[in-house]
Amino acid sequence: MPRRPNMPRPDDVPGFPARRAALRLLDAVLRRGDPLELALHGAAQGLPPADRALVHAIAAEVLRHLPDLDALIDGATRQVLPDDAKARMVLRIALAQALALGTPAHAAIATALPLVDGGPRKLVHGVFGTVTRAEPTLPDPPTLPAGVLERWAGQWGDAMPQAAAAAYAVRPPVDISLRDASETAKWTAELNGASFAPGHVRLTEGTDIPALPGFATGAWWVQDIAAACAARLLGPGAGRTVLDLCAAPGGKTMQLAAAGWRVTAVDQSKKRLERLSENLARTGLSADIVAADLRQWQPDAPVDAILLDAPCTATGIYRRHPDVLHRIGPHQIAELAELQGELLTRVAGWLKPGGRIVYATCSLEQAEGEAQVERFLSAHPDFALAPATADDLPNGMTPAPQGWLRTLPDTLADRGGVDGFFIARLAKATN
């Protein structure tokens, strides 16, 4: 379609580059299956920090409200737009701004229309107008994708997806782990927080993390309380050796070092290991750092303990990363479960007799947790579950009857909730 003489060029429309980057980012997530945080760098390359933040906010809100946005779009069109139609994606971007981010409707559509330059501008403008004139509101809590609802209900029962949806509507809290657990009362008071366990503080909402007392001096680091339970299950180190596998960015490495373990931290990503090194430097803690693929690397000698925070679908952190609800399905779950089983079997051979493995995943899928450990134990009679106890865990968390820890969307829900995790402690026979 030829451009009318008075029609501005897309790049001349204020705010357009950020919306174009948001379109690229959503395409990377929904079509290619790229993680949101990783795809952001390429999609928003060259944009100033404020625009990058806007790109992330637009994409995150589209993903958080995707089923509800699509329902509004479908209710305003005579023929259903294909899921991958550019017009549908542009409408999602415009409506997410108007209905979730508080952008005035005229600004939301003005910056979105150039995205379909040469395409169905009248359709996009008409559908947007039809929807916004009705003054809709997005459901609270947001509707979870149908495939996720079905999968989680099948594993956990109908109440779990309802709790997951309710948790989705609440901003995830910020937890910190302390370098010195004996200072829990001090930092709880100084940071005006709440503590559920020695060495833990939950911060008040809306805090500027780097500006808080103790951050620059390395007295603490940000770490969800459920994630912190993995290292807690290994207890004090007393100079013994431990492998922290898939270690970056280093929260568990720092926990273990602070608890007196001699830590070797292994991760495949050199870039993420740079963050781990920076975190160790800030906190004054130490660990040996190895950049390696666990399927090829092995330690020089057996160790006393292993913490395997295995690569997983990360569906347990969907509140912080809504893209996982749209990128992850049965194929990805099966693929990662196979990798987890391979790694768990491999690292079991690196343990001294009487040693312990803590296996953890930030996943709400039983294939990556309960089923994984049951399969491992049936194939390795020299290992047994070393049950977690209430004393091992923060207040309000209880181990499952089988002895492992499973956190779900209703865990600590009355205090802000926690990430979804599975953690099991496995003990090797002494002979």
Side-chain angles (χ1 to χ4, degrees):
M1 178 186 296
R3 184 184 304 278
R4 296 195 302 270
N6 62 346
M7 186 183 295
R9 296 179 58 83
D11 285 338
D12 295 334
V13 176
F16 171 72
R19 276 68 179 186
R20 180 172 56 193
L23 182 64
R24 291 172 179 164
L25 180 55
L26 286 164
D27 181 70
V29 171
L30 295 174
R31 186 174 61 84
R32 298 203 305 264
D34 296 343
L36 179 67
E37 305 298 334
L38 294 179
L40 177 63
H41 176 73
Q45 195 165 15
L47 294 180
D51 281 358
R52 287 174 60 89
L54 176 59
V55 171
H56 185 277
I58 292 172
E61 290 305 317
V62 168
L63 294 168
R64 191 175 303 278
H65 297 283
L66 193 61
D68 300 313
L69 293 171
D70 281 347
L72 291 173
I73 294 167
D74 293 342
T77 55
R78 292 180 181 178
Q79 293 184 330
V80 176
L81 295 170
D83 284 345
D84 59 351
K86 192 174 188 180
R88 180 182 287 278
M89 190 66 79
V90 172
L91 281 164
R92 291 165 172 168
I93 289 172
L95 289 170
Q97 292 175 82
L99 302 180
L101 294 176
T103 305
H106 67 85
I109 191 61
T111 52
L113 281 177
L115 294 171
V116 285
D117 189 46
R121 292 172 63 99
K122 287 185 178 180
L123 172 66
V124 170
H125 194 280
V127 172
F128 181 84
T130 298
V131 172
T132 54
R133 280 193 297 272
E135 299 183 352
T137 56
L138 292 170
D140 183 19
T143 303
L144 296 176
V148 174
L149 284 169
E150 182 179 357
R151 189 174 73 239
W152 285 352
Q155 295 178 74
W156 306 107
D158 292 338
M160 185 277 200
Q162 296 176 19
Y168 205 22
V170 179
R171 183 186 296 272
V174 176
D175 295 316
I176 63 172
S177 292
L178 304 178
R179 183 179 59 199
D180 185 350
S182 70
E183 296 185 339
T184 301
K186 167 192 169 182
W187 287 112
T188 301
E190 188 159 352
L191 297 172
N192 192 30
S195 179
F196 307 155
H200 164 265
V201 179
R202 175 156 288 184
L203 303 181
T204 54
E205 193 172 333
T207 49
D208 180 7
I209 300 298
L212 290 176
F215 179 82
T217 57
W220 50 265
W221 54 91
V222 174
Q223 185 180 30
D224 186 81
I225 190 171
C229 288
R232 288 180 180 274
L233 289 187
L234 285 178
R240 291 177 294 162
T241 55
V242 63
L243 300 177
D244 183 12
L245 305 178
C246 309
K252 299 176 185 67
T253 297
M254 291 183 285
Q255 277 184 282
L256 294 167
W261 290 90
R262 288 191 290 131
V263 187
T264 299
V266 186
D267 199 280
Q268 191 171 357
S269 170
K270 292 182 179 179
K271 187 170 184 178
R272 284 167 56 84
L273 284 174
E274 290 175 6
R275 287 184 58 199
L276 189 152
S277 296
E278 292 168 0
N279 286 329
L280 288 173
R282 181 174 61 84
T283 57
L285 297 167
S286 62
D288 294 327
I289 298 175
V290 177
D293 185 332
L294 294 180
R295 292 169 294 186
Q296 300 171 2
W297 179 87
Q298 65 181 39
D300 295 331
V303 295
D304 296 296
I306 294 172
L307 197 163
L308 175 61
D309 189 358
C312 72
T313 58
T315 53
I317 55 175
Y318 71 99
R319 294 187 300 168
R320 306 175 197 274
H321 302 281
D323 55 300
V324 301
L325 297 183
H326 306 284
R327 293 189 298 103
I328 299 302
H331 173 74
Q332 291 82 3
I333 294 168
E335 193 174 66
L336 282 161
E338 183 177 354
L339 173 61
Q340 293 151 11
E342 177 186 345
L343 292 179
L344 188 53
T345 294
R346 177 170 171 78
V347 306
W350 302 346
L351 203 61
K352 293 178 181 178
R356 293 187 170 189
I357 296 176
V358 168
Y359 170 80
T361 56
C362 57
S363 169
L364 288 168
E365 316 302 330
Q366 292 183 7
E368 300 182 273
E370 291 84 349
Q372 192 70 254
V373 164
E374 288 173 347
R375 186 163 51 250
F376 173 82
L377 291 174
S378 67
H380 296 82
D382 55 334
F383 277 85
L385 194 70
T389 69
D391 291 340
D392 294 323
L393 303 174
N395 296 332
M397 289 190 189
T398 55
Q402 298 89 338
W404 51 58
L405 174 66
R406 161 57 77 185
T407 59
L408 290 169
D410 62 352
T411 303
L412 299 183
D414 58 339
R415 287 179 273 178
V418 301
D419 288 344
F421 257 85
F422 175 86
I423 304 171
R425 182 170 55 192
L426 309 170
K428 188 173 184 177
T430 54
N431 51 46

